[in-house]
Each structure stands twice: as structure tokens, then as C-alpha cells.
Amino acid sequence: MKKFSFVLYMVLATFLSMSQAPGSGFGSGSGRPTLPSIGHVYGKLVDSTGRSIGDASIVVLQNRFDTVTKKSKEILLKGGTTQANGDFNLEELPVTGNLKLLISATGYQPHTQALSFMPAANAGRGNTPGAGTGNGSMSFDKDLGKVMLKVDVQQLQGITVTAGNSRLRMDIDKKVFSVDKNIVSAGGSALDVMKNVPSVNVDIDGNVLLRNAAPQVFVDGRPTTLTLEQIPADAIESVEVITNPSAKFDASGGGAGILNVVLKKNKRTGYNGNLRAGVDRLGAVNGGADFNARQGKVNFFGSVNLNQRKSNTEGSVSRLNIADDPQTLINQQNEDRSQGRFVFARAGLDYFITNRTTLSLAGFRVSAKFKPNELISIATDSLYASGTIKTYSERTSPGDRAFNGRGLSFGLKHLFPKEGEEWTADANYFSGDRSSNNFYTTNYFSNGAGSSINRTLMQQLASGGSDQNLILQTDYVKPLSASTKLEAGLRTQLRAFKNNNRNFYFDNTTGNYLLIPETTG
């Protein structure tokens, strides 16, 4: 066997000498041979009693020089787990250079062991492979035998509790409410999310109040033309409640504060994605898909959400007007049926220039159409000296509403070594156009419901408009202490807003709708 090893060693040494000879064509351009990764390490993992340890983590590391950081760091070469009987087997390891074997298992102390396929005489030279057994013999198979792990007594005596992040986090200038794991609002809109956010009130009509006033709505820290009903809940990662916004957000902002909707952006390495679908009790369906791909310094992300909306609302109002002469009693019944859909799509990419500097480009597109239909019945009783006079009317108001929005944002972010210190530069463009067309038909009956119609009043309300925003901004943030920080920046905002309202009434003599100039603008 020793003769065979010696002969094999001489053959390999001769091959290496040929590969280093000028003009031989073997090896790299530096003249050093490049050997195949044919190293093989195997063994058995046991505890102090000789019992096999299964499902333990086995990794092989190698120390290499990083040309970016100009420092040496350990690179993962191979990894695996032990079998149920404790056996492990790692192949295709480099036969040159010093390696490190790291073994870890729950309840045991980590085990670290140096590996080398080089003979003792050549260890550290990196030019001739061997077994590293100290006698100069060569072998690409290394049997580690039984590797024993010691019980981690300190871990056995303690209790480790692992919990996820709290859904509510308090920062210096804002409260952050996590939404990505909130299944209550899944399939809904941002308006449904706000119903579960502390400090935010949403009334029965969908009006959002913060500190008893309507807040500004931001998306990813910038103003938007979108409403809360046009942002799907599945695309939201968190909501930031900023009750005292600084000039970084908007120097002309109101006193209610800001609701900043932070959209999801996955940065995990590799390819990731998910699909989701749902249906509510009225039969409205919703679905969506997310996709993320990150390779090297580029991260691409995209998402699309489709929501169908159906709503049935009924209400009643009974009012006695004691100040009227004579007094009147009004009973009103409301029936509101609405259906529609909206589509929200978003895509973008991040380019990591360095570990601390990132370029980002993202865009979104949203389209929504709704068909509301409302029926209002009003009955009025008035007690006169001559008797009781009753009036009854019914008003129907079918309509169409549409909205289209789009946006594009570009950002540069640089992080400093001190935590929390950063510099950002952003350019954001948001635009949207909307249209609405409603027809109101009011029938007045002679003697309550079911009687003949005395007269009919018909109206039409058509409205529309557009909104465009361009924001250029740069900011610098530096924490000074645990409770204070310094902010400085520049901001330019350009906005163009158009709103058109046209009111018509139906002229029975001409049979056409005529414009009412006094109520048009």
C-alpha cells in the first residue's frame, strides 16, 4: 500500500511539474496548477455516551481574501446534515488550502476542527495535495472517525423563548403598525387596514380621522394621488402614524398628521414568490401574486392585485322637526348596492452599489371602476289645522365612477457606519385622472307609496379631473441621542390639479338635459 501511495504521489508530482512548465498549457496564467475539487471527508457524530447524533449541521469553511473589503473572511464551501445514525459525508472539497469543519447540534456545544489534505511537510504551501497525516502520504479521502460532541449544560438549564416582532413599534417621531401578518384585512383595501391601526378612527362612511381631522396620505414617504380605497391591503407592509410631521414630509402639511403607507418589497436572495386568492360572503373575489428575484447586486420585485368589490348597505332615519310650524315627521329608508373592481400593479428594482449605497427605481399602475346604485325613500307627515298632509318620494341614483393612476419613483440611499445616520435623494412623480357620472331620478307620489306619480324630477351630475405631482427631495438624518435626531434637507414640489363639476336638469319641454351654470365649475 505504501508503494502504491508513493507511485501515485510521484505520478501526480510529475503531472504538476508538467503543468508548471512554460508552454505546457496546463494550470492558470500565474503558472500555479488548478486542481479539481475531489476532497472527501466522512465520519460519524456521537455524544459522550456513544449514541449517534442525527440532523446535526455540518459545514466546511475556507478563509479567503475579499477584494472588496480588503479583508479575509470565511466562505462557505459545503454544508449538510448528519443521518439518523450519525454518519456524515462531504464531497467535492478543494484539496489545497486550509479548511475548517464546523459541527453544531441543538443541546450540544459547537465543534470546530481544522481540515487539510496536504502532507505535514507541505502544509501551508498550497502546491502539492496530501492527507495531512504527518507521514507525507497522500489521500483525497479523509476519515475523521467518531467525532464526539459535548452536552451544552448551560443550554439545558435555561429556557429560550422566541417571539416575533410586535405589531406596534414606537419610534422617535412616529408609530409603526405592522400589517404584513394581519390576516383580518387580507383581501381588502388600505381603508380596512386603518380600522385596526391605533390612534386612527374610521367612521361608517369610510372617513378616516387622526386627531379629529383628516390626515394626509403618503405612500413610501411621499404624497400620492391614490386614496385608501385604491391601495390593496395585500400590498402593504406597514403603516406609519406621524402625528407631528417635520418639514421632511411637507412644510405646508396640516395639523392632523400623516398616514404613511409602506408597500412591501422583498430583498431575499434567490427567487421568491407567492399566490393568493379569496372570496367574501357576497361572492366578490380577490387575488394577487408577488415575485422577487435577487442575484448579485440586483434585486427585482413585482406584484399585482385584483379586487372585486360588492357592497349592500341599508339604513333608516326617523326625524321629528319640532321647530317647524307645523311639526313634521320624516322617515327615510336607504338602500345602496355597489359593485366594481380595481387592479393594482407594481414593479421595480434595487441596485446595490456598495453594502451601504442603494439605487432604487419603482413604478405602479392602478385602475378602478365602480357602479353604485342608491334608492332613497322619504315619507313626511305634517299636522295642519285642516288635517294631516302626507308626502312621499323615491329617488334612484345609478352611476359610474372610474379612476386611473400611475407613478414613478427614483431613489438613492446611503447609510453611514453609525446606526440611524443616512442620506437620501428622491425624485417622485404621481398622476391620476378620475371621472364620475350620476343620474338622479326623483318621483313624487300623490298619496304615499304605491299611489300615482304626481311629477318627476331628473338631474345629472358629471364630474372629473386630474392630479399631477412632481417631488424632488434630499434629506440627511443623524441621531444625536436615544430621543433626539438632526434632520436637514431640500425639497421642491410641483403640482397641477384640475376639478370639473357639471350639473344638469332635465327639461320636459325640450326633452334634453340642460346645464345649470350656477352649480358648474
Side-chain angles (χ1 to χ4, degrees), residues 39-243:
H40 178 203
V41 172
Y42 57 94
K44 185 181 183 67
L45 190 63
V46 297
D47 59 13
S48 58
T49 63
R51 186 177 61 181
S52 302
I53 302 176
D55 294 326
S57 175
I58 309 288
V59 296
V60 176
L61 306 174
Q62 187 178 39
N63 200 306
R64 293 182 183 178
F65 181 75
D66 189 354
T67 57
V68 178
T69 61
K70 307 301 181 182
K71 296 181 180 179
S72 296
K73 64 178 182 179
E74 291 183 335
I75 304 298
L76 175 64
L77 297 180
K78 286 287 180 180
T81 58
T82 60
Q83 301 178 14
N85 60 357
D87 290 344
F88 61 89
N89 180 37
L90 297 175
E91 299 178 341
E92 298 181 357
L93 299 175
V95 297
T96 58
N98 295 323
L99 308 178
K100 180 190 291 186
L101 179 70
L102 180 61
I103 304 176
S104 60
T106 303
Y108 298 91
Q109 296 180 3
H111 175 81
T112 304
Q113 180 176 342
L115 290 178
S116 177
F117 294 94
M118 307 295 297
N122 297 318
R125 298 180 186 177
N127 57 356
T128 305
T133 58
N135 56 8
S137 62
M138 181 191 65
S139 175
F140 298 117
D141 295 326
K142 196 171 185 65
D143 185 1
L144 300 182
K146 291 186 177 181
V147 180
M148 186 181 69
L149 294 186
K150 297 180 180 180
V151 177
D152 192 346
V153 179
Q154 182 179 0
Q155 181 176 347
L156 294 178
Q157 292 178 347
I159 298 177
T160 302
V161 178
T162 303
N165 295 331
S166 174
R167 290 202 304 167
L168 181 62
R169 186 180 78 250
M170 302 294 294
D171 286 351
I172 297 177
D173 56 348
K174 60 189 175 184
K175 291 183 288 186
V176 182
F177 182 77
S178 180
V179 181
D180 56 345
K181 296 181 180 179
N182 183 18
I183 63 174
V184 176
S185 55
S189 65
L191 190 62
D192 300 312
V193 173
M194 297 304 167
K195 297 177 182 178
N196 300 312
V197 177
S199 305
V200 179
N201 297 322
V202 181
D203 62 19
I204 191 173
D205 297 322
N207 299 313
V208 180
L209 298 179
L210 179 64
R211 301 172 67 179
N212 295 324
Q216 291 181 291
V217 178
F218 280 38
V219 173
D220 287 336
R222 298 294 179 264
T224 178
T225 59
L226 299 177
T227 65
L228 293 175
E229 290 182 328
Q230 296 162 354
I231 303 175
D234 295 320
I236 302 176
E237 179 178 348
S238 62
V239 175
E240 297 177 350
V241 181
I242 308 172
T243 54

Side-chain angles (χ1 to χ4, degrees), residues 288-366:
D290 298 323
F291 177 76
N292 175 79
R294 179 175 178 180
Q295 294 293 330
K297 292 187 175 183
V298 179
N299 176 61
F300 172 81
F301 57 91
S303 65
V304 60
N305 293 273
L306 171 63
N307 288 67
Q308 186 181 19
R309 305 300 297 273
K310 293 183 179 181
S311 64
N312 297 334
T313 305
E314 296 182 358
S316 61
V317 176
S318 180
R319 185 176 72 234
L320 175 63
N321 299 322
I322 60 176
D324 292 348
D325 187 19
Q327 295 182 356
T328 57
L329 175 63
I330 298 177
N331 292 315
Q332 178 176 315
Q333 302 291 329
N334 296 72
E335 293 183 8
D336 190 355
R337 303 290 185 264
S338 178
Q339 61 181 359
R341 57 87 183 154
F342 71 87
V343 181
F344 184 92
R346 182 171 179 263
L349 60 87
D350 300 310
Y351 179 71
F352 306 97
I353 303 176
T354 65
N355 291 335
R356 292 196 174 103
T357 305
T358 305
L359 281 174
S360 299
L361 179 65
F364 78 87
R365 184 77 168 85
V366 60

